[in-house]
Amino acid sequence: FLFLVAELCCGFFVILILGNFWFLAILYLLWLYLDWETPCTGGRRSQWVRSWTVWKYFREYFPIHLIKTSDLNPNHNYLLGFHPHGVLVAGAFGNFCTGPSFKNLFPGLTPYLHIMPIWFGCPFFREYIMSAGMVSASKESVSYVLNNEGGGHASIIVIGGAEESLNAHPGSLTLNILKRKGFIKMALKHGAHLVPVFSFGENELFKQVANPKGSWLRNVQEKLQKIMGFALPLFHARGVFQYSFGLIPYRQPIHTVVGSPIPVKRNLNPTTEEIEQLHALYLQKLRKLFEEHKRNYGIPEHKSLIFE
């Protein structure tokens, strides 16, 4: 979906350049230059865009639900680790960028969904995603959000990143997290409380072409991911009027469960040992969150998370 909208925006920009509206393209490039740092300084959200009726239908299609397990004190800043990435990241977008659910469940907190910086280089598309409350996933951007005096900010980071989308097969519970410790260091530096989030049903929206590790397809996908910065999973789901093939996601319920916060004391220069200890505690809390709720959302008792 993001690719489609981004391509449409880029296509519109090319039309401006090649048509008789090249002066508008120049004006926009000037605006882009002057506004380049905005995605790293909190973005530019629009409550009007976030409240579009289309997002209501988007959430109801699956449907998407946000589940609260603990209060989050708005006097603190939080770093929410979202799992798994899936193909669409529908739970993250539906719960943190649209609708009133987050605001109603966690009053006083403003959510910021961090995504790859590359998306903010796309003309016009960047304005759209910033309006929805998305900001860059760069260190500068995360620091800006978490450095809010008085608290009230929540950074949402999809920890597994684009690489994890290659594991997004129905029934898959594999998370790319063992080597991902940058978010732990950011939480320590800013004293942001860590909150594990697991989105049940995220991997059930599409079927992906078999790409086990070591296969030629997986090797190509991983090489392209390193070159371009984002992954290219080969997936399909249903069509508009039939259920056998298409790019429209399956109607599978998504339940995004927000766990209890892990208190973090500010430490401007955390040691490797301190980062490792907090990372291990985070993994423990994430696994506990999954185990406590998996029965409610159709996960067999013998299934458990796999950390890679």
Side-chain angles (χ1 to χ4, degrees), residues 85-193:
H85 184 287
V87 172
L88 194 61
V89 205
F93 179 75
N95 286 309
F96 304 121
C97 295
T98 74
S101 294
F102 187 86
K103 181 179 179 181
N104 292 339
L105 292 177
F106 305 103
L109 285 181
T110 302
Y112 295 83
L113 179 59
H114 296 271
I115 64 174
M116 290 185 299
I118 190 174
W119 293 113
F120 296 96
C122 181
F124 300 114
F125 181 67
R126 68 189 297 273
E127 320 302 335
Y128 160 69
I129 55 179
M130 277 197 291
S131 296
M134 287 180 255
V135 291
S136 172
S138 66
K139 292 181 180 179
E140 296 79 10
S141 177
V142 177
S143 293
Y144 183 91
V145 173
L146 296 181
N147 203 34
N148 188 49
E149 292 187 11
H153 281 188
S155 280
I156 296 96
I157 301 178
V158 184
I159 305 300
E163 182 183 356
E164 193 173 84
S165 67
L166 299 178
N167 291 328
H169 297 273
S172 174
L173 295 173
T174 300
L175 304 181
N176 290 50
I177 191 172
L178 291 182
K179 295 181 181 180
R180 297 181 181 262
K181 300 171 185 176
F183 74 104
I184 298 291
K185 188 175 183 179
M186 294 298 292
L188 283 165
K189 282 190 170 184
H190 296 280
H193 294 355

Side-chain angles (χ1 to χ4, degrees), residues 284-298:
Q284 177 186 333
K285 294 294 185 181
L286 174 59
R287 188 180 295 279
K288 181 181 178 183
L289 177 70
F290 174 81
E291 292 295 331
E292 288 179 347
H293 294 273
K294 67 181 183 180
R295 302 171 189 82
N296 299 331
Y297 307 116

Side-chain angles (χ1 to χ4, degrees), residues 6-19 21-22 24-30 32 121-125:
E7 288 177 358
L8 290 174
C9 290
C10 290
F12 179 68
F13 184 71
V14 170
I15 290 174
L16 289 181
I17 295 177
L18 299 179
F21 304 97
W22 55 268
L24 293 178
I26 293 176
L27 287 176
Y28 183 79
L29 287 175
L30 177 61
L32 194 62
C122 181
F124 300 114
F125 181 67

Side-chain angles (χ1 to χ4, degrees), residues 33-45:
Y33 173 77
L34 297 174
D35 194 57
W36 190 254
E37 294 300 322
T38 300
C40 294
T41 54
R44 186 171 45 250
R45 69 182 55 221

Side-chain angles (χ1 to χ4, degrees), residues 199-211:
S199 194
F200 292 90
E202 200 74 44
N203 283 339
E204 317 305 316
L205 306 185
F206 296 93
K207 292 180 180 178
Q208 190 172 168
V209 175
N211 60 342

